[in-house]
Amino acid sequence: MQFRSTIISNQEVSPGYFRMRLTAPPELSGASPGQFIMVRVRDAIDPLLRRPFGIFDVGTIKSEFPGLGSATYFEILYKVVGKGTEALSDYHHGDHVDVIAPLGAGFDLGDPAEEKILVGGGVGIAPLYYLARTLVQRSRVRFFLGGRTRDDILCVTEFERLGVETYVATDDGTLGDRGLVTDVMERHIREDGRPKTLYACGPMPMLKAVADIARRTATPCQVSLEAYMACGMGACLGCVVKGKGHSDDTPDYRCVCKDGPVFTFDQLKWV
Amino acid sequence: MQFRSTIISNQEVSPGYFRMRLTAPPELSGASPGQFIMVRVRDAIDPLLRRPFGIFDVGTIKSEFPGLGSATYFEILYKVVGKGTEALSDYHHGDHVDVIAPLGAGFDLGDPAEEKILVGGGVGIAPLYYLARTLVQRSRVRFFLGGRTRDDILCVTEFERLGVETYVATDDGTLGDRGLVTDVMERHIREDGRPKTLYACGPMPMLKAVADIARRTATPCQVSLEAYMACGMGACLGCVVKGKGHSDDTPDYRCVCKDGPVFTFDQLKWV
Amino acid sequence: MSKPDLSVNIAGIALRNPVMTASGTFGYGEEFSEYVDLETIGAIITKGLSLRPKAGNPTPRIQETTGGMLNAIGLQNVGIDAFVEQKVPFLRTVSTPVIANFFGNTVEEYAELAERLDRIPEVAGVEINISCPNVKHGGIVFGTDPKAAYSVVKAVREATIKPVIVKLSPNVTDIVEMAWACADAEADALSLINTLTGMAIDLKKRRPVLANVTGGLSGPAVKPVALRMVWQVARAVKIPVIGIGGIMSGTDALEFMLAGASAVQVGTANFLDPAAAQRIATEMEQYLEDNGIADVKELIGALEV
Amino acid sequence: MSKPDLSVNIAGIALRNPVMTASGTFGYGEEFSEYVDLETIGAIITKGLSLRPKAGNPTPRIQETTGGMLNAIGLQNVGIDAFVEQKVPFLRTVSTPVIANFFGNTVEEYAELAERLDRIPEVAGVEINISCPNVKHGGIVFGTDPKAAYSVVKAVREATIKPVIVKLSPNVTDIVEMAWACADAEADALSLINTLTGMAIDLKKRRPVLANVTGGLSGPAVKPVALRMVWQVARAVKIPVIGIGGIMSGTDALEFMLAGASAVQVGTANFLDPAAAQRIATEMEQYLEDNGIADVKELIGALEV
Ligand SMILES: Cc1cc2nc3c(=O)[nH]c(=O)nc-3n(C[C@H](O)[C@H](O)[C@H](O)COP(=O)(O)OP(=O)(O)OC[C@H]3O[C@@H](n4cnc5c(N)ncnc54)[C@H](O)[C@@H]3O)c2cc1C
Ligand SMILES: Cc1cc2nc3c(=O)[nH]c(=O)nc-3n(C[C@H](O)[C@H](O)[C@H](O)COP(=O)(O)OP(=O)(O)OC[C@H]3O[C@@H](n4cnc5c(N)ncnc54)[C@H](O)[C@@H]3O)c2cc1C
Ligand SMILES: Cc1cc2nc3c(=O)[nH]c(=O)nc-3n(C[C@H](O)[C@H](O)[C@H](O)COP(=O)(O)O)c2cc1C
Ligand SMILES: Cc1cc2nc3c(=O)[nH]c(=O)nc-3n(C[C@H](O)[C@H](O)[C@H](O)COP(=O)(O)O)c2cc1C
Ligand code: FES
Ligand code: FES
C-alpha cells in the first residue's frame, strides 16, 4: 500500500534515537513482524530516495468518543545518521509523510513449543519488538540486547512489559554486562540445551556472530538485513545480497527488499 | 554583510502576499531605500540559489526592559510565486535564515523642494515604502499604486499613515479607479505642472509606461528593476540589462545587482 | 471541452499516452502492479534482457547523489528464457504495450536476441541498449562509436520486423552523430538519454561507494543535459525521439515534448513514487485541458527558438 | 597535534591550501572581498579574459535547475586591457596567487593573450579555457578535439613561461584522450570539469529559458560526473589535476583529492555562500585534524579501488 500518513508523535527516546507513531490504513494491521516501510522524507528532491525502516509496532487506538471507531497506527524506531533521518526527527504531530508499507518478507514464527531467542544490536531492535509482541502470545521469548554504550540500549522496559526476559550487554559496560551480547546468548543456548529458534537484527558483525553460533549449535536462525535501497519492491536490483550458492561463476543474488529483509541464516553466504 | 537572521514575524497580508520581519545587525540601519537583500531560503540545495527581495523597511525595536538596549530589524514584502517564496512563507517566528544585505545601489533622494511621485505595481511597492518613509521627511510625496485586482493592492494604510497621498487603480476596478495607475499619474503630472521626480517599481510593462511618461513630460525618473540573479554582487554577470547605448555592435550591459537595481530611466535601453 | 487526446504512435506502437516506464526502473511491470494501474501507462519497458541470465555487479550498487542517484546494477537480469517463462505470462494480462529492452556483448548476440524477441507476440517492440556504461565488455563501445552503433542496429533491424528503438548514451562528444548512425541503420525510433557515467567516494573509507567504482547517474540532476540532447537529436533526425532523463512531473514530460520528443520515459521517479508514470500522464492531461490544447501531439517539437 | 599542513604546489604555484575559486563565479576577486577573507583562499581564478572586451549573450543568462544551475553568460568580460588597468591594482594588494583564465577564437589569439598575461607580474599562472560551451565560434572545437587542443596548448606553452593550466570540457566521449593531448603539449596542469551543456524550457512560453537556448550546467548535480572524470584523468597523466564540479563542502573537496586532484576549485557554491572557499578550506583542515592526518597531500590519489 502507498498512503499519506499523519504523524501522531515523534519522541527522542535516547540521545539520537527517535520513536515515531504514524497513522495507517486499517489493512496495515495485517503486517507481519519483520516487514518494513519506505518513507518519502520530504515531498522534495532532497533527499531524493525513500528511506526504509522496520515496523517497530502496529496497533489501533480506540477513540475516546464512543461511535467514532478506531484508528490504525504503526511505529518506527530510528537513529539519526544522515540527512533523511535528521529531517524525520524534525517532524511534529500533525505533519504528513508518504509511506509505502508493508514491504518485504517478515519472520517465520516457528514452532510455538520452542523457546524463541531474539538478539538485537542498537537500533536493530526495531523489528524485534513487534516480533516479540507477536511471539509471546504463543511461545517463551528471551531477548538479548547489545550496544556500544548505555545510550544505545533502547526500550528494555517495553520488552520486559511484554513478559520477555531481557539480557543487556554493552561494549563499555555502562549497562548490563560488559562485552558482546552474543556471548551471553551463546552461553544461554549451551546451558539450557533445549531446542530454540534465533531471530537477530543489528549490525553486520553481530549478525555474523549470531549466524556462527546458529551454525555451531545447529539452531534455526533468522536474520533481518539492511541494504541501501532505491525501490523497495524488487525492481531496481540495488539491494541484493549474496545467497548461499554465490560464487563468481554461479552468482546467486537475493533482493533484501523482496526476498528479505528476513532470511534464514543458511540462505545467505557469510564471508 | 552576511548574517544569520532570526525571523520575528511572517504574516500573510493579502492572499499570497507575506510581510516578514527579521533581525539584523545594527549596521543595516544604514541601508538606502532601493537596496535589496539575498536570502538563502533553506540551508539545503533545494532551492539552490539565494532569492532577492527589496528592503520594505528598516527600523529598531526598543526592548521593553530598560537597559536591554534595542535591536535592528528589517522587513520584506513578498509574493508567493514559486518554491523559494513558498518555503519562505512556511517560516515561523524564531526560525533562522542566512541573509546578505544591503546589496545594490538605491534611490537618489533628489531635490527636497520637488514633489516626489512614487509609482508601484503589485509587490513592486516593496522598496517604495522605505523610500516613502525616507522622502516624507523632506519632500511632498504622492503614491500611485496599481494592481490587477483588489488583492494585489497592499499596504495603502501604511503609506497613508506616513502622510503620503495615495491613489489606487486596478485593472478590474475592484479597488480605486478602473484602469492603469500610470494614466492617473500622467494626468496628475500634466495638471499640476510643477517639477517632480518619479520613482517606479513594478512589472516591466508598467515601468515602460512610466519611462515613457517621464520622457514625454521631461520628468526625472528612477526605476527599480528585477532580474534573475545568482550572486547579487556583480560577479556572475547573470543579471544584466541593456544599457542606453546597447546595440549588437556596441554592447552595453549593466548589472541589475550592482549597477542597479535602481537606474535612472535614461541609463537604460527601452525596447 | 472534451478530454484532450494524449495518444501517440511510436514507430507503429500505439500508446494511450506518451508516458512509458524506463528500463531497469520498473522491473518487469508486475513488481509495481500493486501501486500503479498498469492500464494507465503508455508502455512498459522491461529490465534489460540478455541471452543468458546475468548476475550483475557486486554491491553496493546504488548511491544517492544531489538531485540524482548512481547505479551500477551491472545489468542483472533473468535472461530471455526465464523472461518468456516467468514474466511474459503476467505481461499478457495487461493491455499496455510491452517493449523489451535488451543488450548483448557482440553484434551476433544482439541479433540473436532480436530474433528471439521477434517471436514473442506479447512484445510490441524492442529497445536496444547500446549505452549501458556499467559493463566492461561490449556495451559501451557500441554506444560511443557511430560505426559500431550502425552495425549493431543494422543486425537487429534485419533480425526483427518489430519496431526497433535505439537507446543512446549521453557520454559522447556528439550525440547527433550517434543518432544519425542509428537512423541510417534504419532504427524506427531513438530513446535518450541513458545514464551519465559518474562516481561517488566514501571519504572515511577512502573507497569508491560503488563496488563497480563508477555508475550511471540518473534523476532530476541530469534533466538539463537530457533536454539538450533530445532537442539536438529531434532537430537532426526524422524518426521519432523518446525523451528520458529526470522526468518527475507532467511539466517535465511536456518540456521534453516541446524539445521534440514524441513520447517520454520515466525512470528514477518510479522509486520516489511508484505511481509516477500514472500521475505524470494525469498531470499532462490536466495541463492540456487547462490550456485548451486538444491534442498532445501539437506540442511535439513546438519549441520556439 | 600541530595544525595540519594544507599547502599544495601546482606546477610551481605555491598555494596555502588547495581551495581556489573557479573562473566566472568569483568576478575578479574584489567583488567578494567584503564577504570572504581573500587571504584564506588558495588561489583566485579570474573571470575568463579575451583580447578585446566581450559583451556576452543576451538575457536571460541563468536558470536554476535541480541541484544545479545553467549559465550562458557568453564569456562577457572587460578584456585584457581593462583587466590590467582596473582589476590588477586591487589584486596586487592581495597575497593570494592570481591565475588568469582566458580564451580566444583562434590559436593566434590564445597565444597573443598568453604573451600579454606573461608580462603581468601579478598573474601567477594562466588557465586556458578550451571548454566553454557557450560561444559559437572557436572555443568548443578546441575543447572536444584532441588535435585542436594540442595545437592551442602548444601555442600558449610557447608564449609564456608561467605555469599553464588547461581547463577541460566534460562534453566529450573520452576525457582521457583530451588530457593526454594537453599533457603532450606540455601543459603544467589540468583542471576539470567545466560545465556540462544543458538546456531548460519554459513550458508556458514554449521557449528555451535561456536566450542562448543552451547553457552550461554546474553545481552539486554534476559532482558525480566531475569526480569520475578527475579520477580517470588523474590516473592517466603525470601532471597535477585540479578538481572542479559541485564542490560545496570540505568533504566534497577531499573526495576530489582522493580521486587524484592536487587542488580544487569552487564555483557555484560561491553564489550560495560568498565565503564558501574560506569555509571549505576550514572544513578540510578540521577533517584532517579530527582524523590525525598531518598533511593534505597524503590524500591526493589515495583512493583504494
Ligand atoms: C529493511 C531496512 C530496515 C531498516 N530499519 C531501520 C530501523 O528500523 N531504524 C533505523 O534507524 N534504521 C533502519 N534502517 C536503516 C535506515 O534505512 C538508514 O539509517 C536510513 O535510510 C539513513 O538515511 P539518512 O538519510 O539519515 O542517512 P544517509 O545520509 O543516507 O546516510 C548516512 C549513513 O547511513 C548509511 N545508510 C544510508 N542508507 C542506508 C541503508 N538503507 N541501510 C544501511 N545504511 C544506510 C550510509 O551509507 C551513510 O553512511 C533500515 C534499513 C533497511 C534496509
Ligand atoms: C532586486 C530584486 C528585488 C526583488 N524584490 C522583491 C520583493 O520585494 N518582493 C517580491 O515578492 N519579489 C521580489 N523580487 C522577485 C523575487 O526575487 C522572485 O519572485 C523570487 O526570487 C522567486 O523565487 P521562487 O523560488 O518563489 O520562484 P521560482 O520557482 O524561482 O520561479 C517562479 C517564477 O518567478 C520567476 N522568477 C524567479 N526568480 C525571479 C527573479 N529574481 N526575478 C524575476 N522573476 C523571477 C520565474 O521566472 C518563474 O516564472 C525581487 C527580485 C529582484 C531581482
Ligand atoms: C537502477 C537503474 C537500472 C537501470 N537499468 C537499465 C537497463 O537495464 N537498461 C537500460 O537501457 N537502462 C537502464 N537504466 C537507465 C534508465 O532506463 C534511464 O535511461 C535513466 O535512469 C534516466 O532516466 P531517469 O533520470 O528518469 O531515471 C537504469 C536506471 C536505473 C536508475
Ligand atoms: C556563472 C558562471 C560563469 C562561468 N564562467 C566561466 C568562465 O568564464 N571561464 C571558465 O573557464 N569557466 C567558467 N565557468 C565554469 C566554472 O568555472 C566551473 O568550471 C563550473 O561552474 C563547475 O564548477 P561548480 O560546479 O563548482 O560551479 C562559469 C560558471 C558559472 C556558473
Ligand atoms: S531496493 Fe530495489 S530491488 Fe530492492
Ligand atoms: S547576480 Fe551575479 S552579477 Fe548580478
Side-chain angles (χ1 to χ4, degrees):
Chain A
M1 278 178 294
Q2 180 177 8
F3 55 90
R4 193 125 191 103
S5 176
T6 308
I7 289 154
I8 301 169
S9 61
N10 188 21
Q11 280 171 351
E12 188 158 16
V13 292
S14 182
Y17 292 92
F18 288 74
R19 183 170 164 182
M20 185 184 261
R21 178 177 285 202
L22 306 102
T23 61
E27 298 91 303
L28 198 71
S29 320
S32 320
Q35 288 191 295
F36 68 100
I37 69 148
M38 294 273 282
V39 57
R40 189 154 177 202
V41 175
R42 289 203 195 93
D43 289 330
I45 57 94
D46 185 37
L48 188 74
L49 298 174
R50 287 175 182 265
R51 300 294 194 253
F53 297 96
I55 296 176
F56 179 78
D57 203 4
V58 176
T60 48
I61 329 172
K62 289 229 176 56
S63 168
E64 294 164 38
F65 305 98
L68 270 188
S70 60
T72 305
Y73 69 83
F74 70 99
E75 294 190 5
I76 59 174
L77 180 76
Y78 62 95
K79 183 178 178 178
V80 174
V81 298
K83 66 181 165 184
T85 44
E86 225 157 71
L88 264 191
S89 73
D90 279 344
Y91 277 106
H92 300 290
H93 170 87
D95 290 338
H96 302 277
V97 287
D98 189 275
V99 172
I100 301 179
L103 290 164
F107 293 103
D108 182 299
L109 301 183
D111 178 352
E114 285 178 3
E115 188 182 81
K116 305 292 182 279
I117 307 273
L118 276 49
V119 195
V123 78
I125 65 159
L128 298 182
Y129 179 74
Y130 184 33
L131 175 67
R133 206 167 58 68
T134 311
L135 286 173
V136 287
Q137 292 162 18
R138 346 181 303 155
S139 307
R140 172 150 194 194
V141 180
R142 268 179 225 267
F143 180 38
F144 294 85
L145 170 52
R148 272 190 319 104
T149 182
R150 185 172 37 189
D151 289 348
D152 301 315
I153 301 299
L154 309 172
C155 302
V156 175
T157 324
E158 280 83 345
F159 278 89
E160 287 181 335
R161 217 182 278 139
L162 294 176
V164 169
E165 215 168 306
T166 300
Y167 303 79
V168 171
T170 49
D171 297 354
D172 62 3
T174 47
L175 202 71
D177 292 343
R178 175 195 295 263
L180 297 179
V181 77
T182 44
D183 294 343
V184 187
M185 179 201 72
E186 182 165 13
R187 223 173 305 137
H188 167 73
I189 295 181
R190 296 204 182 270
E191 280 164 14
D192 184 86
R194 281 169 298 176
K196 310 195 174 329
T197 308
L198 281 171
Y199 298 87
C201 183
M204 222 356 138
M206 169 187 270
L207 297 185
K208 277 188 186 146
V210 173
D212 212 45
I213 294 166
R215 198 181 39 74
R216 279 189 274 119
T217 60
T219 312
C221 169
Q222 296 169 44
V223 294
S224 178
L225 300 188
E226 292 193 2
Y228 207 94
M229 292 184 176
C231 72
M233 43 192 72
C236 76
L237 307 179
C239 66
V240 298
V241 284
K242 291 175 185 164
K244 187 193 184 65
H246 183 92
S247 75
D248 280 356
D249 299 325
T250 62
D252 168 18
Y253 281 119
R254 320 267 173 113
C255 281
V256 172
C257 71
K258 189 95 182 176
D259 304 322
V262 176
F263 295 90
T264 62
F265 86 102
D266 51 8
Q267 286 178 303
L268 302 175
K269 174 137 203 135
W270 300 90
V271 261
Chain B
M1 278 178 295
Q2 181 177 8
F3 55 91
R4 193 124 191 104
S5 177
T6 308
I7 288 154
I8 302 169
S9 62
N10 188 21
Q11 280 172 350
E12 188 158 16
V13 292
S14 182
Y17 292 93
F18 287 74
R19 184 170 164 182
M20 185 185 262
R21 179 177 285 203
L22 307 102
T23 61
E27 300 90 304
L28 197 71
S29 321
S32 319
Q35 288 190 295
F36 68 100
I37 68 147
M38 294 274 283
V39 58
R40 190 155 176 201
V41 175
R42 289 204 196 92
D43 290 329
I45 57 94
D46 185 35
L48 188 74
L49 297 174
R50 287 174 182 265
R51 299 294 194 251
F53 297 97
I55 296 175
F56 179 77
D57 203 3
V58 176
T60 48
I61 330 171
K62 291 230 174 55
S63 168
E64 293 163 39
F65 305 97
L68 271 189
S70 60
T72 305
Y73 70 83
F74 70 100
E75 294 190 5
I76 59 173
L77 180 76
Y78 63 95
K79 183 179 178 178
V80 174
V81 298
K83 66 179 164 185
T85 44
E86 225 158 69
L88 265 190
S89 73
D90 280 343
Y91 277 107
H92 300 291
H93 170 85
D95 289 338
H96 302 278
V97 286
D98 189 276
V99 172
I100 301 180
L103 290 164
F107 293 103
D108 182 300
L109 301 184
D111 179 351
E114 285 177 4
E115 188 181 81
K116 305 292 181 278
I117 308 273
L118 276 49
V119 195
V123 78
I125 65 159
L128 298 180
Y129 179 74
Y130 184 33
L131 174 67
R133 206 166 60 67
T134 310
L135 286 173
V136 287
Q137 291 162 18
R138 346 181 305 156
S139 307
R140 173 150 193 194
V141 180
R142 268 178 226 267
F143 180 39
F144 294 85
L145 169 52
R148 272 190 319 105
T149 183
R150 186 170 38 187
D151 288 348
D152 301 317
I153 301 299
L154 310 172
C155 303
V156 174
T157 324
E158 280 82 345
F159 277 90
E160 286 180 336
R161 216 182 279 140
L162 295 175
V164 169
E165 215 167 307
T166 301
Y167 304 79
V168 170
T170 49
D171 297 354
D172 62 2
T174 47
L175 201 70
D177 291 342
R178 176 195 294 263
L180 298 178
V181 78
T182 45
D183 294 342
V184 187
M185 179 201 73
E186 180 165 14
R187 224 174 305 137
H188 167 72
I189 294 181
R190 296 205 182 270
E191 280 166 13
D192 183 88
R194 280 170 299 176
K196 310 195 173 330
T197 307
L198 281 171
Y199 299 87
C201 184
M204 222 356 138
M206 169 188 268
L207 297 185
K208 276 186 187 148
V210 172
D212 213 43
I213 295 166
R215 197 181 39 72
R216 279 190 272 119
T217 60
T219 311
C221 169
Q222 297 169 43
V223 294
S224 178
L225 301 188
E226 292 192 2
Y228 207 95
M229 292 184 176
C231 73
M233 43 191 73
C236 75
L237 306 179
C239 67
V240 298
V241 284
K242 291 174 184 166
K244 187 194 184 67
H246 183 91
S247 76
D248 280 358
D249 299 326
T250 61
D252 169 18
Y253 281 120
R254 319 267 173 114
C255 280
V256 171
C257 70
K258 188 95 183 179
D259 305 323
V262 176
F263 294 91
T264 62
F265 84 103
D266 51 9
Q267 286 178 303
L268 301 174
K269 176 136 202 135
W270 301 90
V271 260
Chain C
M1 183 183 145
S2 62
K3 286 266 173 202
D5 184 359
L6 276 136
S7 70
V8 294
N9 189 302
I10 300 286
I13 310 172
L15 311 182
R16 62 169 70 85
N17 66 52
V19 187
M20 322 188 195
T21 52
S23 177
T25 66
F26 204 68
Y28 301 94
E30 191 167 3
E31 293 86 342
F32 277 74
S33 57
E34 188 189 332
Y35 303 97
V36 60
D37 179 357
L38 298 177
E39 296 292 340
T40 65
I41 297 177
I44 296 168
I45 306 193
T46 66
K47 174 74 193 160
L49 293 165
S50 50
L51 274 178
R52 271 156 294 278
K54 199 163 150 41
N57 290 324
T59 57
R61 291 177 169 186
I62 45 177
Q63 172 63 33
E64 189 177 88
T65 67
T66 301
M69 64 178 282
L70 287 166
N71 88 79
I73 307 300
L75 295 173
Q76 175 178 345
N77 80 96
V78 297
I80 180 94
D81 292 333
F83 173 70
V84 172
E85 279 161 42
Q86 297 160 23
K87 310 297 178 184
V88 168
F90 171 81
L91 291 170
R92 194 175 297 142
T93 68
V94 184
S95 77
T96 302
V98 174
I99 296 172
N101 179 289
F102 73 99
F103 65 96
N105 289 316
T106 61
V107 172
E108 294 69 33
E109 271 184 33
Y110 271 103
E112 190 179 339
L113 262 161
E115 227 165 85
R116 293 284 309 274
L117 291 166
D118 190 64
R119 280 179 263 144
I120 307 173
E122 289 79 6
V123 169
V126 298
E127 182 181 58
I128 323 180
N129 179 5
I130 58 166
S131 45
C132 180
N134 298 328
V135 184
K136 278 170 198 102
H137 305 289
I140 189 68
V141 62
F142 295 115
T144 57
D145 173 14
K147 286 200 205 72
Y150 178 91
S151 60
V152 76
V153 174
K154 196 80 193 165
V156 168
R157 171 73 295 165
E158 282 161 11
T160 178
I161 56 163
K162 292 197 199 277
V164 172
I165 303 165
V166 185
K167 185 163 176 185
L168 301 180
S169 164
N171 302 295
V172 295
T173 307
D174 187 352
I175 191 81
V176 169
E177 192 190 23
M178 294 303 302
W180 276 335
C182 298
D184 284 350
E186 288 174 71
D188 295 300
L190 302 173
S191 57
L192 65 158
I193 60 175
N194 210 314
T195 53
L196 276 164
T197 310
M199 184 171 172
I201 287 175
D202 185 324
L203 176 60
K204 287 271 171 198
K205 295 189 191 147
R206 299 197 186 181
R207 296 185 63 85
V209 172
L210 301 176
N212 189 54
V213 182
T214 61
L217 184 64
S218 64
V222 310
K223 186 187 140 198
V225 174
L227 211 45
R228 183 262 295 183
M229 290 189 165
V230 165
W231 179 70
Q232 288 181 311
V233 167
R235 283 155 45 107
V237 298
K238 293 210 184 67
I239 54 178
V241 167
I242 301 165
I244 324 171
I247 295 175
M248 308 286 284
S249 67
T251 305
D252 292 337
L254 291 168
E255 288 172 17
F256 273 87
M257 295 191 73
L258 284 179
S262 301
V264 298
Q265 292 179 20
V266 172
T268 303
N270 296 312
F271 304 151
L272 284 63
D273 173 11
Q278 178 172 1
R279 172 179 53 78
I280 289 169
T282 309
E283 288 170 1
M284 291 171 82
E285 182 171 31
Q286 191 62 53
Y287 180 87
L288 298 181
E289 227 175 291
D290 293 349
N291 289 273
I293 302 166
D295 191 334
V296 73
K297 290 182 280 298
E298 289 174 30
L299 293 182
I300 299 173
L303 192 74
E304 294 157 28
V305 287
Chain D
M1 184 185 144
S2 62
K3 287 265 172 203
D5 184 359
L6 276 136
S7 70
V8 294
N9 189 302
I10 298 288
I13 310 172
L15 310 182
R16 61 169 71 84
N17 65 53
V19 187
M20 324 189 195
T21 52
S23 178
T25 66
F26 205 67
Y28 301 95
E30 191 168 3
E31 293 86 341
F32 277 73
S33 57
E34 188 189 330
Y35 303 97
V36 59
D37 180 356
L38 298 177
E39 296 292 340
T40 64
I41 297 177
I44 296 167
I45 306 193
T46 67
K47 173 75 192 160
L49 293 165
S50 50
L51 273 178
R52 271 155 292 279
K54 198 162 150 42
N57 289 327
T59 56
R61 291 177 169 185
I62 44 178
Q63 173 62 34
E64 189 177 89
T65 66
T66 301
M69 63 178 283
L70 286 166
N71 90 80
I73 307 300
L75 295 173
Q76 175 177 343
N77 79 97
V78 297
I80 179 96
D81 293 333
F83 173 68
V84 172
E85 277 161 41
Q86 296 160 23
K87 309 297 179 184
V88 168
F90 171 81
L91 291 170
R92 193 176 297 140
T93 67
V94 185
S95 77
T96 301
V98 174
I99 295 172
N101 179 289
F102 73 99
F103 65 96
N105 290 315
T106 61
V107 172
E108 295 69 34
E109 271 183 33
Y110 271 104
E112 191 180 337
L113 262 162
E115 227 165 83
R116 293 283 309 274
L117 290 166
D118 190 64
R119 279 179 263 143
I120 307 173
E122 289 79 5
V123 169
V126 298
E127 181 180 58
I128 323 180
N129 179 5
I130 57 166
S131 46
C132 179
N134 298 327
V135 183
K136 278 169 199 100
H137 305 289
I140 190 69
V141 61
F142 294 116
T144 55
D145 174 13
K147 287 200 202 72
Y150 178 91
S151 60
V152 75
V153 174
K154 195 81 192 166
V156 168
R157 170 74 294 164
E158 282 162 9
T160 179
I161 55 163
K162 293 198 199 278
V164 172
I165 303 164
V166 186
K167 185 163 176 185
L168 301 180
S169 164
N171 301 294
V172 295
T173 307
D174 187 352
I175 191 81
V176 169
E177 190 191 24
M178 294 302 302
W180 277 336
C182 298
D184 284 350
E186 287 174 70
D188 295 300
L190 301 173
S191 59
L192 65 157
I193 60 174
N194 210 315
T195 53
L196 276 165
T197 308
M199 186 170 171
I201 286 175
D202 185 323
L203 176 60
K204 287 271 170 197
K205 296 191 190 146
R206 299 195 185 182
R207 296 184 63 83
V209 172
L210 301 176
N212 189 55
V213 183
T214 61
L217 184 64
S218 64
V222 309
K223 187 187 139 198
V225 175
L227 211 47
R228 182 262 296 183
M229 290 190 165
V230 165
W231 178 71
Q232 287 180 311
V233 167
R235 284 155 44 107
V237 298
K238 293 210 183 68
I239 53 178
V241 167
I242 302 165
I244 324 172
I247 295 175
M248 308 286 284
S249 68
T251 304
D252 292 337
L254 291 168
E255 287 172 17
F256 273 88
M257 296 190 73
L258 284 179
S262 300
V264 297
Q265 293 179 20
V266 171
T268 303
N270 296 313
F271 304 151
L272 285 62
D273 173 11
Q278 178 173 1
R279 172 179 54 77
I280 289 168
T282 308
E283 288 170 3
M284 291 170 82
E285 183 171 28
Q286 190 62 53
Y287 181 87
L288 298 182
E289 228 176 290
D290 292 349
N291 290 275
I293 302 166
D295 191 333
V296 73
K297 290 181 281 297
E298 288 174 31
L299 293 182
I300 300 173
L303 191 75
E304 294 157 30
V305 287

